Amino acid sequence: MVFTPNGKHLVAGEWLDGAGTFASAPAHGPVHQFAVGTVDLVNRACEAAEDAFWSYGYSTRSERAAFLRAIADEIEARAGAITEIGSQETGLPETRLQGERGRTTGQLRLFADHIEKGEYLDRRRDAALPDRQPAPRPEIWLIQRPIGPVAVFGASNFPLAFSTAGGDTAAALAAGCPVVVKGHSAHPGTGEIVAQAIEAAIRKTGIHPGVFSLIQGGNRDIGHALVQHPQIKAVGFTGSLAGGRALFNLCAARPEPIPFFGELGSVNPMFLLPEALRARAETLGQGWAGSLTMGAGQFCTNPGIAVVAEGADGDRFVAATVEALGKVAPQTMLTDGIAKAYQDGQARFASRNTVKPLFTSESSGRSAAPNLFETSGAQFLADHALGEEVFGPLGLVVRVQTIDEMVQLARGFEGQLTATIHMDAADIADARRLRPVLERKAGRVLVNGFPTGVEVVDSMVHGGPYPASTNFGATSVGTMSIRRFLRPVAYQNMSEELLPEDFLG
Ligand code: NAP
């Protein structure tokens, strides 16, 4: 199925032009023109979202569940076209796009099932105590209510699961919040066809069209206007630390500051304990090389750092990693800008006298080949830049002398999305020292695995202390992500007939 984008913005059910056009920059396939967003369109979308909130924010959970399922169905109805244009725009293999589509529709259906159960509302009631002395206590109920229109910024590396109908949009819609998406300029055609699927679901279920708008990019002012619009009550963002921080600052500087749920970058350190290393250094090295280079290393959960003790077992691990990296062919990166940033990151590492190269390869144009560097624990702690994310297949081995130094190093890390321990049963005493440190650093702590691949389940946390995210106490993946777009309201001394219907169902 060949899909030709109309190149327009979707604002509350209407496909509109903007101020001029920008050209897409696909990895392969045809270039298309897309309308540039305007502040006027942002205003229209946000006002329509507020208008829609007065019905959608008070809809029943089963109505919203039906809407989420309809979006999933409509995405599946466009599966072939989504895969085709998604692969062209991002350079990701078709199989990856197919898998990501399944994750996106699965997420929408999971959230539909979840809200129908009602537990997420965390309903509470304290009975009245009319005879309490010295003063009676009134009856108090508590429930979670949707917060209002939400702005969503998707990421370049997940054109489906973290974009137009991805986790943030699904969570906000499940909560009862209309959404205005700022389309990612790296995959505008993919964004448009997913927006068409949402539009079809709106028509099918009779929901207010202001519940969803897509403003294409091409102009950074659009994002600024969106997060500052008075009708927007929260922002979901997945992307870079620099972009996230700029938008976070704007949210904080508003006359009415609003929460900015930013999922940013991370180096996802792995700690290799001695017995595990002794038993399977080669397997661990091969596994790391595979994880580090998967998808050209363009995962926020890419394990960029391995902390390993000095010695023969560590050397075996490094040798196996180098050997496996040597077999990895260059891969296409998502955008020219990301490819350039990777080459700059490699040059930054290569120019430091605190690291030594273990495996280097030249990357050019939009393709990236892996690189591996090594440093000592002391140098790592002294050189802050070594702990910064290089988005792509670049790894750093940090060699330590002792377990004490490994624990010390773990304490020095900034906030992470994930932290991993590789261990055997005989490593348990060392692992027990690391676990309390790592849980202060990361949203997800894993044992004997690689952190790429985030399960969409009730118990997932995808977030972590700053700078991994700006999400205090929140996750952007899994059913708990819906909580971000709700706020608790207490109802005191209110008759049951006046309470929100959600208390009863
Ligand atoms: P990005 O460059 O920050 O872009 C994300 C979105 O923000 C785009 O819509 C972009 O607009 C907009 N934006 C960026 N900077 C802006 C600014 N200063 N003002 C206004 N808008 C701005 O990120 P990306 O390249 O898409 O993604 C790669 C990064 O995301 C990596 O660092 C990766 O680790 C991280 N990431 C994190 C997660 C996670 O879950 N934590 C998941 C995936 C990726 P344009 O369309 O104009 O570029």
Side-chain angles (χ1 to χ4, degrees), residues 107 341 460:
Q107 188 163 255
M460 179 49 68

Side-chain angles (χ1 to χ4, degrees), residues 356-380:
K356 83 169 189 214
L358 294 174
F359 180 85
T360 52
S361 54
E362 284 308 309
S363 301
S364 64
R366 196 150 153 182
S367 84
N371 285 278
L372 189 68
F373 296 90
E374 185 178 86
T375 191
S376 68
Q379 282 170 322
F380 182 81

Side-chain angles (χ1 to χ4, degrees), residues 347-357 373-376 379-380 382-383 386:
R348 210 172 61 236
F349 265 75
S351 68
R352 302 194 101 74
N353 54 15
T354 45
V355 298
K356 83 169 189 214
F373 296 90
E374 185 178 86
T375 191
S376 68
Q379 282 170 322
F380 182 81
D383 188 351
L386 296 181

Side-chain angles (χ1 to χ4, degrees), residues 35 84 91 125 128 140 195 223 245 292 300 312 348 362 395 439 497:
E84 184 183 48
R125 173 177 173 254
I140 306 174
R245 185 65 205 232
L292 187 66
C300 50
R348 210 172 61 236
E362 284 308 309
E439 72 187 18
E497 61 191 354

Side-chain angles (χ1 to χ4, degrees), residues 4-131:
T4 305
N6 65 34
K8 297 184 181 197
H9 311 281
L10 174 62
V11 178
E14 286 184 81
W15 290 94
L16 302 172
D17 288 318
T21 60
F22 69 96
S24 63
H28 54 90
V31 170
H32 300 288
Q33 295 295 321
F34 291 88
V36 174
T38 66
V39 172
D40 181 50
L41 287 168
V42 169
N43 292 340
R44 284 174 68 172
C46 293
E47 292 301 337
E50 169 65 12
D51 205 29
F53 186 76
W54 291 106
S55 52
Y56 191 70
Y58 301 87
S59 58
T60 65
R61 284 178 278 133
S62 58
E63 284 166 343
R64 292 200 298 283
F67 178 42
L68 294 172
R69 292 187 183 114
I71 296 173
D73 293 346
E74 294 295 336
I75 288 173
E76 276 164 5
R78 293 160 178 77
I82 289 172
T83 300
E84 184 183 48
I85 195 157
S87 174
Q88 288 173 351
E89 290 188 325
T90 62
L92 294 170
E94 295 208 342
T95 47
R96 156 73 198 276
L97 267 298
Q98 285 154 1
E100 199 180 318
R101 188 185 69 244
R103 174 180 166 151
T104 309
T105 52
Q107 188 163 255
L108 287 158
R109 293 188 175 114
L110 175 73
F111 287 7
D113 295 347
H114 186 73
I115 59 171
E116 277 179 336
K117 287 185 214 140
E119 282 135 26
Y120 79 102
L121 293 165
D122 192 7
R123 291 170 276 213
R124 299 167 188 217
R125 173 177 173 254
D126 286 295
L129 300 175
D131 300 326

